[in-house]
Amino acid sequence: MTQSNTRKAVIIGCGLVGATSAFSLMESGLFSEIALVDVNRERAEGEALDIGHGTPFYGPVEIYAGDYDDLVDADIAIITAGTAQKPGESRLDLVQRNVAILKSILAEFSQRPFGGILIMVSNPVDVLTYVAAKITGLPRSRVMGTGTMLDSARFKSILAAHLHLDARNVHARIIGEHGDSEFPVWSMANVSGIPLSECLRNAGIDEAEKLMERVEHEVRTSAGQIISKKGATYYGIAASVKRLCEAIVRDEKSVMTVSTVLEGEYGLSDVALSIVSVIGAEGIDSHLPAPISENEHQRLRESADALKAVIAELSLD
């Protein structure tokens, strides 16, 4: 991260996700500057004015419409630009359109020194994280996608509701693609260290397998339900962006499931997907060797294969 007396974030893309993320970061007090960059300059100016008027209720932070030169002294750059997912459309259907947009953005990075951490939010996030890492040439520790952070939060929230417990005490993760081939790591799920099987019995749930199938279905379809009802998802992902920035700015060494380019982890390489990682001031500090079952390992390989098939169709020149 850039060493200075200020902390600066640049958000590229001022649609619903970008604007909501900017508002979340303004509330957080993590940054002294937040620059908003958008192909529609007036949209960025309007969002900066609107969000900036709330700063007296939270704390001093300068929010303004910027440009790509703001990358030079940015600690974190957050890319949310892209076309929206349509009702009934999978995240991977977005790939060709959003890769083209991303390549135009990354061309701007190549013209300026950027010493910060790049966070990819736009979908399909795993493919775009891979593209960003390859085109920028940044160390893989400094390029990450929000990946299955939100999926894991949904998993915890839904499971906690069935168990009638505080979601913060449920430790459960989704790994793999942020999309159709993602899956929950049931073998590691617990409640404050108590095995999930014990908690299910305590909650009077006898048919554990049926509940697990139901929860997995609810997690996988939740984004589609939101999109069909209100057109887009943005609050949950904005909270994920804020949480990820917290871990970086505070050097927390927090454990999160972010999308990262694999280099041999779980026997996989040359693909980006979410695994259990440690996040700190330099980005991804390390990857934790989560002891997943053989079935889960197979599902992770299948997730990687699905993403590789998409990547193979791309031209990154």
Side-chain angles (χ1 to χ4, degrees), residues 33-287:
E33 287 183 52
I34 301 174
L36 305 183
V37 179
D38 195 273
V39 65
N40 181 344
R41 174 81 182 187
E42 287 195 350
R43 176 66 182 263
E45 291 173 348
E47 296 292 2
L49 282 169
D50 194 9
I51 296 169
H53 290 161
T55 57
F57 301 110
Y58 294 97
V61 53
E62 184 183 2
I63 303 174
Y64 55 90
D67 55 40
Y68 287 105
D69 287 340
D70 284 295
L71 291 170
V72 174
D73 59 347
D75 296 290
I76 299 175
I78 302 159
I79 300 180
T80 69
T83 56
Q85 185 179 358
K86 299 174 182 177
E89 181 182 47
S90 75
R91 291 184 180 94
L92 292 181
D93 288 335
L94 293 170
V95 66
Q96 296 295 351
R97 285 178 291 150
N98 281 349
V99 165
I101 293 170
L102 177 60
K103 287 169 74 173
S104 69
I105 292 169
L106 297 179
E108 299 288 347
F109 275 73
S110 68
Q111 297 174 29
R112 298 162 178 83
F114 173 64
I117 292 167
L118 175 58
I119 297 175
M120 181 59 59
V121 183
S122 310
N123 277 317
V125 68
D126 302 295
V127 174
L128 297 186
T129 299
Y130 178 88
V131 171
K134 291 297 181 181
I135 290 181
T136 63
L138 290 169
R140 73 165 180 157
S141 61
R142 287 170 44 205
V143 180
M144 69 189 78
T146 47
T148 58
M149 284 184 66
L150 179 53
D151 305 282
S152 294
R154 288 167 174 157
F155 185 24
K156 295 175 186 180
S157 176
I158 293 168
L159 189 54
H162 285 287
L163 294 172
H164 307 291
L165 294 171
D166 185 339
R168 293 173 297 179
N169 298 129
V170 176
H171 304 289
R173 303 189 183 278
I174 301 282
I175 63 173
E177 174 204 355
H178 174 55
D180 295 338
S181 65
E182 68 184 27
F183 63 95
V185 186
W186 289 107
S187 64
M188 292 171 54
N190 68 85
V191 178
S192 295
I194 301 169
L196 183 61
S197 57
E198 296 295 327
C199 296
L200 292 173
R201 277 195 288 271
N202 186 62
I205 299 171
D206 298 322
E207 297 180 322
E209 287 190 7
K210 286 188 177 180
L211 174 66
M212 291 162 68
E213 290 175 2
R214 179 179 173 184
V215 169
E216 185 169 347
H217 176 75
E218 289 180 23
V219 171
R220 184 171 285 110
T221 60
S222 58
Q225 289 184 20
I226 295 169
I227 291 168
S228 68
K229 292 176 184 296
K230 57 177 279 187
T233 68
Y234 39 92
Y235 293 120
I237 190 60
S240 303
V241 169
K242 190 265 289 186
R243 181 69 194 97
L244 187 50
C245 288
E246 279 181 342
I248 294 168
V249 169
R250 296 173 180 169
D251 194 19
E252 290 181 351
K253 304 297 191 289
S254 291
V255 177
M256 299 178 177
T257 51
V258 295
S259 186
T260 178
V261 176
L262 301 189
E263 294 180 347
E265 293 84 0
Y266 300 100
L268 303 171
S269 60
D270 203 34
V271 67
L273 47 68
S274 288
I275 58 174
V276 182
S277 303
V278 178
I279 309 299
E282 300 304 317
I284 301 174
D285 277 14
S286 62
H287 302 297

